[in-house]
Amino acid sequence: VPCFDDSVAELDSCLTFKLGAKLRREHGIRLSAIEWFNKVSGDPDIDLPVWLREGAPMGIARPITSRGIFPLVDAPVTAKEEYIFVSPHGWSNYTSAEDNADIVSDILSKMVDKKWAIAYDSLEDLRKVVGNDFPINKLALISKSKPDGSWKHRIIWDFLRSGVNSLITPGERIVLPRLCDVVRDMKDLHGDGTWTEDGVWLFGGDIMDAFHNLFLHKAEHKYTVTKFLDRFYVFLVLVFGFGELNRHGRVELSLIHI
């Protein structure tokens, strides 16, 4: 969108000349912007730049580190890896996905095109990347009718039934802002003189393809495998279905700070 691109360029120019920021034009969440903000603000949550650079943890192969901001969660792993590995033979997804193969195949193909997933045509090729043992996650399809009569389709990955969720150590519990927090912040702004006669502007935002903006660390890839028709897929980004999505919550809160 030209108008949006012009606004981003203007903001970049302002931050560069007035605050010394050195920002790069990047697709998705901008690593250079997050790194700069962490540096100038002293934000104690220093993990987001690392996650964007190296890949985020699921809490299985890579731990989810706590920075003392959110309450810790003492949730021990409830399964062992060897108990969740299954054979890819004689296996199927949920009926909602299997009965709408064209729709699911199209979604998966687009994910591969966007570098969010990698498709493998054989079990041998997959094992060269993730090893001989791995869980397989069932897919389901959720379809919703839009007001204009068209349909919105979304894939759900069932990490619960595969046992992957039982391997995750969450580390902490994300506490999202409440309405009373907004009211308190507005009172603080009014008290310190920030609140002018123009009042305070409140606005909301939406992150397109929110989960898929955060890539996973390569050590976690083996836990995202699924099979559809005759192909295997390894997902490289956060997807809908993880029992623990603290990483995305922390990303959202970091972007709100900015």
Side-chain angles (χ1 to χ4, degrees):
V1 181
C3 180
F4 177 77
D5 289 341
D6 291 343
S7 298
V8 172
E10 184 178 350
L11 177 60
D12 284 355
S13 178
C14 177
L15 293 175
T16 297
F17 290 106
K18 292 188 176 182
L19 300 176
K22 296 181 179 179
L23 307 181
R24 299 183 298 273
R25 297 303 300 270
E26 300 164 289
H27 179 72
I29 301 175
R30 302 172 67 183
L31 173 60
S32 58
I34 301 297
E35 288 180 322
W36 172 79
F37 176 77
N38 272 23
K39 179 179 179 180
V40 300
S41 69
D43 192 333
D45 195 351
I46 59 176
D47 292 308
L48 181 53
V50 179
W51 293 355
L52 292 174
R53 191 183 306 109
E54 302 177 2
M58 282 177 61
I60 304 178
R62 303 282 292 187
I64 301 172
T65 53
S66 173
R67 296 301 172 184
I69 302 171
F70 302 105
L72 298 177
V73 176
D74 184 14
V77 172
T78 58
K80 295 182 178 180
E81 283 199 15
E82 57 265 30
Y83 295 157
I84 72 169
F85 297 144
V86 299
S87 169
H89 305 292
W91 181 93
S92 65
N93 292 285
Y94 289 103
T95 302
S96 59
E98 297 288 348
D99 289 351
N100 296 278
D102 290 344
I103 295 174
V104 175
S105 294
D106 182 61
I107 295 174
L108 293 174
S109 178
K110 290 178 179 177
M111 293 190 73
V112 171
D113 291 342
K114 293 179 179 180
K115 312 300 183 184
W116 293 342
I118 301 176
Y120 296 93
D121 293 322
S122 70
L123 181 59
E124 290 71 24
D125 289 340
L126 173 66
R127 282 176 169 161
K128 291 177 183 178
V129 177
V130 301
N132 292 327
D133 298 315
F134 50 86
I136 302 182
N137 304 281
K138 287 190 174 186
L139 296 180
L141 179 69
I142 294 180
S143 301
K144 182 179 180 180
S145 177
K146 296 182 179 180
D148 62 3
S150 61
W151 287 83
K152 179 179 181 179
H153 304 286
R154 174 178 292 174
I155 289 178
I156 302 294
W157 290 254
D158 193 349
F159 292 97
L160 175 63
R161 299 296 181 187
S162 66
V164 169
N165 279 348
S166 63
L167 297 177
I168 294 175
T169 302
E172 59 185 7
R173 176 172 57 87
I174 299 298
V175 180
L176 298 177
R178 301 164 296 176
L179 181 58
C180 61
D181 297 319
V182 177
V183 173
R184 186 186 64 246
D185 288 346
M186 293 178 68
K187 290 177 65 177
D188 290 343
L189 290 173
H190 185 273
D192 66 12
T194 304
W195 191 318
T196 67
E197 61 183 14
D198 295 327
V200 174
W201 287 76
L202 300 177
F203 65 94
D206 185 25
I207 304 175
M208 182 179 294
D209 300 315
F211 288 83
H212 305 331
N213 277 285
L214 194 58
F215 282 78
L216 291 168
H217 191 280
K218 62 181 181 180
E220 307 282 22
H221 290 173
K222 67 180 291 184
Y223 303 104
T224 71
V225 175
T226 192
K227 180 183 180 184
F228 193 74
L229 299 180
D230 294 325
R231 306 187 84 188
F232 294 91
Y233 295 86
V234 173
F235 297 92
L236 312 180
V237 294
L238 284 181
V239 294
F240 296 98
F242 285 134
E244 193 285 310
L245 286 170
N246 281 344
R247 281 83 66 225
H248 187 259
R250 280 173 62 172
V251 171
E252 286 183 326
L253 292 174
S254 294
L255 296 180
I256 290 172
H257 291 166
I258 296 177

